[in-house]
Amino acid sequence: AAAADLVSVLAAQGYEPMATVAGDIRMRNCPFHALVAEHRDLVCGMNLALGEGIIDGLRDRHHVARLDPQPGTCCVVFEDAPRGR
């Protein structure tokens, strides 16, 4: 249920979330892509902070957000949280 809630909220914010083979959640897009070329660090930091806020707001103890820039996707990935989080 935590993954479905996370995907739903991300989609509502304009992201296109997708599950990966490894079980992570990545976004196929960045709603702020027009700014990335000139302000990558700012945009990626903002996406990370937004992702962390979504996780906190959902009280999701199953996922963590971290930066992992990959071609063709948003710079943030949501992974399984370490046990004991």
Side-chain angles (χ1 to χ4, degrees):
D5 290 343
L6 179 57
V7 166
S8 177
V9 172
L10 290 167
Q13 299 307 311
Y15 295 93
E16 296 174 2
M18 65 177 176
T20 68
V21 174
D24 301 332
I25 298 170
R26 287 194 174 273
M27 281 75 66
R28 288 178 280 242
N29 72 321
C30 174
F32 311 103
H33 68 274
L35 300 172
V36 171
E38 294 183 29
H39 306 285
R40 181 174 304 277
D41 291 342
L42 176 66
V43 172
C44 289
M46 181 184 67
N47 279 325
L48 179 60
L50 181 62
E52 291 169 338
I54 290 170
I55 289 171
D56 287 346
L58 291 172
R59 299 178 192 250
D60 180 343
R61 301 289 180 222
H62 301 282
H63 296 96
V64 294
R66 73 172 182 87
L67 290 176
D68 184 30
Q70 299 291 322
T73 66
C74 177
C75 55
V76 175
V77 63
F78 296 87
E79 301 175 323
D80 289 337
R83 290 186 173 213
R85 177 176 176 238

